[in-house]
């Protein structure tokens, strides 16, 4: 399982239910990476989707205790324990955790890779992504050159879970 997120320098991901920065190129990249796979999100993230409909071309799973208002074309699960058997039906696909904060926190232990768009700025926020750099279990394995979108610079980071024996030998 992988995570994908757009974060600022403080790991902020959103404010008032909205992304901090909307960038056409970053949205295209998100679509390209997740297309054909499974996307897991929380209820509030689902409700920000266009027309509150599942993302096309992907299996949409909503992890929530309150499934009211969730489109019938999305799979609703009430807990991580309920999610795991559902995911076994999609073992042939990439599985992406796409937010929000609570879902990232709950599913981080099950993920082995995180794909982050890191905005080189700070924004006012009320939702955050886990701090991978503060966790010995994660290593930054790739970092792109800097790009720009509407006068804000960003880079793409790939974080991978470090094997336990690698942690011990540092």
């Amino acid at each position: 399982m992988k995570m994908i997120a757009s974060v600022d320098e403080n790991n902020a991901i959103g404010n008032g239910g909205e992304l901090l920065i909307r960038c056409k190129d970053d949205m295209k990249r998100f679509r390209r990476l997740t297309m054909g796979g499974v996307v897991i999100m929380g209820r509030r993230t689902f409700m920000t989707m266009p027309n509150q409909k599942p993302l096309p071309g992907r299996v949409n799973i909503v992890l929530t205790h309150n499934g009211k208002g969730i489109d019938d074309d999305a799979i609703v699960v009430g807990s991580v324990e309920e999610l795991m058997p559902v995911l076994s039906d999609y073992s042939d696909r990439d599985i992406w955790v796409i937010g929000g904060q609570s879902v990232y926190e709950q599913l981080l232990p099950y993920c082995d890779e995180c794909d982050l768009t890191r905005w080189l700025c700070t924004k006012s926020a009320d939702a955050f992504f886990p701090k991978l750099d503060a966790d010995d279990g994660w290593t930054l394995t790739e970092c792109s050159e800097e790009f720009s979108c509407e006068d804000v610079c960003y880079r793409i980071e790939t974080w991978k879970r470090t094997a336990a024996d690698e942690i011990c030998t540092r």
Side-chain angles (χ1 to χ4, degrees), residues 6-13 20 117-119 121-123:
S6 176
V7 304
D8 78 357
E9 290 178 316
N10 291 327
N11 279 26
I13 57 174
L20 298 178
T117 299
R118 171 85 57 190
W119 296 96
C121 64
T122 57
K123 298 283 186 174

Side-chain angles (χ1 to χ4, degrees), residues 38-145:
V38 176
V39 291
I40 305 167
M41 68 198 90
R43 182 179 195 284
R44 285 182 283 189
T45 299
F46 181 84
M47 299 310 263
T48 66
M49 297 299 161
N51 302 315
Q52 298 178 346
K53 296 285 185 190
L55 293 172
R58 289 151 275 205
V59 175
N60 288 244
I61 300 176
V62 182
L63 177 59
T64 181
H65 294 295
N66 176 6
K68 286 185 179 178
I70 303 295
D71 188 280
D72 290 341
D73 290 333
I75 299 168
V76 177
V77 295
S79 67
V80 172
E81 294 75 24
E82 191 179 332
L83 171 66
M84 292 307 159
V86 172
L87 291 180
S88 67
D89 293 340
Y90 301 101
S91 60
D92 60 331
R93 299 185 190 204
D94 285 336
I95 298 171
W96 294 93
V97 179
I98 66 169
Q101 179 177 329
S102 173
V103 174
Y104 285 135
E105 290 168 351
Q106 290 178 72
L107 295 179
L108 184 64
Y110 302 93
C111 292
D112 55 10
E113 188 172 317
C114 295
D115 185 288
L116 302 181
T117 299
R118 171 85 57 190
W119 296 96
L120 305 179
C121 64
T122 57
K123 298 283 186 174
S124 178
D126 60 11
F128 296 84
F129 189 82
K131 292 187 182 228
L132 300 177
D133 58 347
D135 183 337
D136 285 342
W138 289 93
T139 301
L140 177 63
T141 60
E142 292 180 47
C143 187
S144 75
E145 62 186 278

Side-chain angles (χ1 to χ4, degrees), residues 142-157:
E142 292 180 47
C143 187
S144 75
E145 62 186 278
E146 287 186 14
F147 304 99
S148 180
C149 181
E150 299 192 24
D151 297 325
V152 180
C153 291
Y154 68 97
R155 64 179 178 249
I156 305 301
E157 298 178 354

